[in-house]
Amino acid sequence: MTDRYCVFGNPISHSKSPAIHTAFAEQTGEDIEYTAIAAPLDDFAGAWRRFTAERGRGANVTVPFKEEAFRLCDTLSQRAQRARAVNTLLLGKNGLTYGDTTDGIGLARDLGRHGVALAGARILVLGAGGAVRGVLEPLLAAGPASLLVANRTAEKAEALAADFRDLGTISGGGFDAVAGPFDLVINGTSASLAGDLPPLPDGLFAAGATAYDMMYGAEPTVFLRWAAKRGAHTFDGLGMLVEQAAESFFQWRGKRPETDSVREALRAGL
Ligand code: ATR
């Protein structure tokens, strides 16, 4: 019997995850089915229970259910405990639900693929929501010289930085506290969705700096256009999406898919 996997979200119809995981399955010869499921906003746990009762073995979880998924897990990876969010669910043979988050490793792998050095880098992360919380651990693990989290609501950035202080040199504040230069600036706000740009000073980028937006689209985001004009190398979050998916697939099936061809096919279809 074919094992079933899915991505839960709401809304979910535009998700690229089914195409990504179907490509991974074909490439690795794994017999799985992967679909997108809109879970009800008031009953995520019920949606997961129903899915596992019908051959569901694992799932990806996206907006707005990552915290709820975290809460329903019986066991959690250490990085999911840190992130307080889960994007990957796995039903164990014992019937227990295990949760992990692969967003951070996805970002770190994509940055590595682009040749962006994290060790010794001065890093600025914009935003202090769930998306940012999920990626701080691997960034700090790489040993940057400093990591500043800047957010519209300064207190949220300060609180977030405090939660990760034991892992490295991290501080938090409002956008007015931002003073460059930085080697890497990562936009983890949802401002790009609305076509907004966080208020950023000039002189943000060091020579050869990189700007990375965790969002992606057919056209560069406002943030990436702004950064390119100031001389930064720019990358969007499509690679992160594919890399986090590959890590989830590995958790489920024990096989590591090749990601370049999958990402290129997605890019061509944007
Ligand atoms: P996610 O799970 O995508 O991180 P979230 O937890 O709602 O979603 O966080 C959204 C982030 O984008 C927050 O850091 C938010 O700033 P606030 O904490 O001040 O709300 C940020 N954000 C959203 N819209 C923004 C905008 N127009 N300009 C700047 N920051 C914005």
Side-chain angles (χ1 to χ4, degrees):
M1 290 280 254
T2 304
D3 287 340
R4 294 179 65 211
Y5 296 84
C6 75
V7 55
F8 287 112
N10 193 330
I12 196 63
S13 57
H14 296 296
S15 173
K16 310 226 175 291
S17 293
I20 295 172
H21 284 281
T22 301
F24 288 167
E26 279 170 14
Q27 193 198 108
T28 56
E30 292 291 296
D31 177 26
I32 67 161
E33 174 195 305
Y34 189 109
T35 54
I37 297 181
L41 289 173
D42 59 354
D43 190 22
F44 176 74
W48 169 243
R49 231 180 9 255
R50 285 189 292 280
F51 186 64
T52 56
E54 293 163 6
R55 283 185 289 116
R57 290 290 315 281
N60 284 128
V61 182
T62 186
V63 181
F65 299 120
K66 287 186 186 183
E67 285 80 18
E68 250 178 285
F70 168 76
R71 285 195 292 273
L72 72 71
C73 288
D74 300 304
T75 53
L76 290 158
S77 67
Q78 222 171 3
R79 59 193 184 200
Q81 286 176 36
R82 271 279 175 188
R84 286 195 228 135
V86 152
N87 80 337
T88 305
L89 292 170
L90 194 159
L91 184 69
K93 293 217 183 339
N94 52 9
L96 296 181
T97 297
Y98 168 77
D100 189 14
T101 178
T102 63
D103 288 330
I105 194 108
L107 172 63
R109 290 225 175 101
D110 197 41
L111 288 168
R113 193 176 65 76
H114 290 302
V116 178
L118 297 174
R122 294 160 292 181
I123 303 178
L124 169 65
V125 178
L126 305 170
V132 168
R133 176 176 284 277
V135 301
L136 290 179
E137 179 171 347
L139 293 178
L140 288 167
S146 61
L147 196 161
L148 172 63
V149 180
N151 193 45
R152 181 172 61 183
T153 315
E155 303 78 61
K156 275 174 69 180
E158 285 158 14
L160 190 55
D163 279 355
F164 285 82
R165 199 145 286 153
D166 57 317
L167 295 184
T169 312
I170 181 169
S171 55
F175 291 128
D176 53 359
V178 173
F182 295 95
D183 305 300
L184 171 62
V185 181
I186 299 170
N187 184 17
T189 71
S190 45
S192 300
L193 282 179
D196 283 345
L197 183 69
L200 298 168
D202 276 319
L204 197 64
F205 298 108
T210 298
Y212 192 101
D213 200 321
M214 285 163 64
M215 301 272 164
Y216 64 86
E219 303 297 330
T221 65
V222 191
F223 168 69
L224 292 182
R225 287 203 298 270
W226 182 88
K229 269 195 210 134
R230 284 155 183 82
H233 303 287
T234 57
F235 303 108
D236 73 8
L238 189 68
M240 173 179 171
L241 175 78
V242 177
E243 296 301 331
Q244 64 78 30
E247 182 63 26
S248 296
F249 190 88
F250 177 72
Q251 301 276 330
W252 296 326
R253 309 301 298 184
K255 289 188 180 169
R256 247 179 225 295
E258 175 277 313
T259 51
D260 289 351
S261 61
V262 177
R263 191 185 52 258
E264 279 156 26
L266 278 184
R267 177 76 67 196
L270 283 180

